[in-house]
Amino acid sequence: MTIRRLILLALASLLPAAAFAAKVKPPAAVLREATTSLAAVEFAEAGSEGRMVFRRLEKLGGDAEMPELIDLAIPAELRRVVLPSERYLIAYTVFRREAEQIRVARLGAQLLVTPGLEPALLRDTPENRALIAWQPGGDEKAVQARLPELIALLDARDPQQHNFALSEIVLRPQLAEALDGRARKALLRFASRADANANARGRLLQAATVQPEHFGKDGWKAVALDILATTPVRVQDVDGNATLVRFAFELVERDRATVAPEVLERWLTGDNAALAEMALLRLRAQEPAREMPALERALTLSLLPAGTREFLLDHRRRAALAAQ
């Protein structure tokens, strides 16, 4: 199939969703896109900075031609993960989207990083092969019948499987609408697990915040408060933690939940200025007199991250101007 034909197919696949341009696709839909290539591979060599070269062992999907050596742009953390002795399943693309058009990427192929596949690299196992081959049913009832198997995947050992399953549930309206009491309890348990995939937990909290009619309202406040109290404040150390904490803050804001002042104050010492701002605003809403003393205490720390210090200093200046 020619590159022109691939581009036309990919563009055609976007047309029905034109009115929902901001909608995020579930991972199984991304894997079936005309622009996605799937392969079983093994590591070949490191490649140039920011890239890895994999040797194709088996083509599993996609219409684009697939070379024997696949040179990919990859997330930096994969350099600490990938081993020559392991077989992997990958999803990648040689295209990029630009101004609602699909073009061949000038900088070469890149490993997909998309909700539910962050990144799109899994060990080559029968379970993971079944995962990347997973497709929903052809109609609403058939799709909803797949919900129990996705819920069961939340107990899998591999966080990559958690993320795929949870993203399918959250990003497919038919599945979110089918949630019953048992499924909601399973989702609450998953959201409470510190060892679960942080991207998946954050995505679930976001859904619970904006869709209480599907995910229920009971129990989420306790989950959010626990996340704020226990998640390490250096969120850049774990992919997804910043998003997880952000939606925990949004959930307590929605429910006007009271957060212990010492919990809010700990977020003024972290490495994410946006979360420090959310903590300050929540502190102001609860106990206005504690806002500025908490800020001053954070500024006394010698190793306060630079971005957070800059934000707090600016916040202090703005507060002083507003008080004049």
Side-chain angles (χ1 to χ4, degrees), residues 152-198:
L153 277 174
L154 299 180
D155 291 324
R157 295 185 64 185
D158 190 346
Q160 288 285 75
Q161 296 180 16
H162 301 165
N163 198 15
F164 182 97
L166 190 282
S167 298
E168 283 291 329
I169 294 168
V170 167
L171 297 175
R172 285 192 190 274
Q174 308 98 314
L175 291 171
E177 291 166 6
L179 295 173
D180 58 13
R182 180 177 295 182
R184 290 175 180 174
K185 288 180 181 178
L187 292 174
L188 273 169
R189 287 195 301 271
F190 177 78
S192 302
R193 287 177 50 190
D195 65 327
N197 182 280

Side-chain angles (χ1 to χ4, degrees), residues 230-248:
T230 62
T231 304
V233 297
R234 300 299 173 97
V235 294
Q236 309 305 338
D237 292 342
V238 178
D239 181 41
N241 265 4
T243 300
L244 174 64
V245 174
R246 171 194 164 192
F247 286 113

Side-chain angles (χ1 to χ4, degrees), residues 29-44:
V30 174
L31 291 176
R32 304 280 85 77
E33 286 186 333
T35 53
T36 299
S37 295
L38 301 170
V41 299
E42 64 182 5
F43 174 73

Side-chain angles (χ1 to χ4, degrees), residues 89-247:
L89 305 173
I90 62 169
Y92 71 95
T93 184
V94 296
F95 300 97
R96 62 186 175 90
R97 285 182 172 83
E98 183 178 295
E100 299 185 2
Q101 292 186 326
I102 295 178
R103 308 176 187 273
V104 177
R106 292 190 301 271
L107 299 179
Q110 60 182 355
L111 190 72
L112 286 179
V113 179
T114 188
L117 294 164
E118 295 155 311
L121 179 141
L122 303 95
R123 290 185 65 244
D124 187 357
T125 66
E127 294 80 9
N128 286 336
R129 283 188 176 239
L131 197 74
I132 66 170
W134 190 91
Q135 295 188 55
D139 57 41
E140 183 171 341
K141 284 189 176 180
V143 174
Q144 292 177 345
R146 310 295 298 275
L147 179 60
E149 65 192 70
L150 293 171
I151 292 291
L153 277 174
L154 299 180
D155 291 324
R157 295 185 64 185
D158 190 346
Q160 288 285 75
Q161 296 180 16
H162 301 165
N163 198 15
F164 182 97
L166 190 282
S167 298
E168 283 291 329
I169 294 168
V170 167
L171 297 175
R172 285 192 190 274
Q174 308 98 314
L175 291 171
E177 291 166 6
L179 295 173
D180 58 13
R182 180 177 295 182
R184 290 175 180 174
K185 288 180 181 178
L187 292 174
L188 273 169
R189 287 195 301 271
F190 177 78
S192 302
R193 287 177 50 190
D195 65 327
N197 182 280
N199 285 305
R201 294 174 74 204
R203 197 162 291 121
L204 178 54
L205 254 67
Q206 179 184 19
T209 301
V210 300
Q211 294 183 290
E213 69 278 15
H214 296 323
F215 292 85
K217 199 165 183 179
D218 294 338
W220 293 104
K221 180 176 72 173
V223 171
L225 291 174
D226 182 68
I227 288 169
L228 295 179
T230 62
T231 304
V233 297
R234 300 299 173 97
V235 294
Q236 309 305 338
D237 292 342
V238 178
D239 181 41
N241 265 4
T243 300
L244 174 64
V245 174
R246 171 194 164 192
F247 286 113

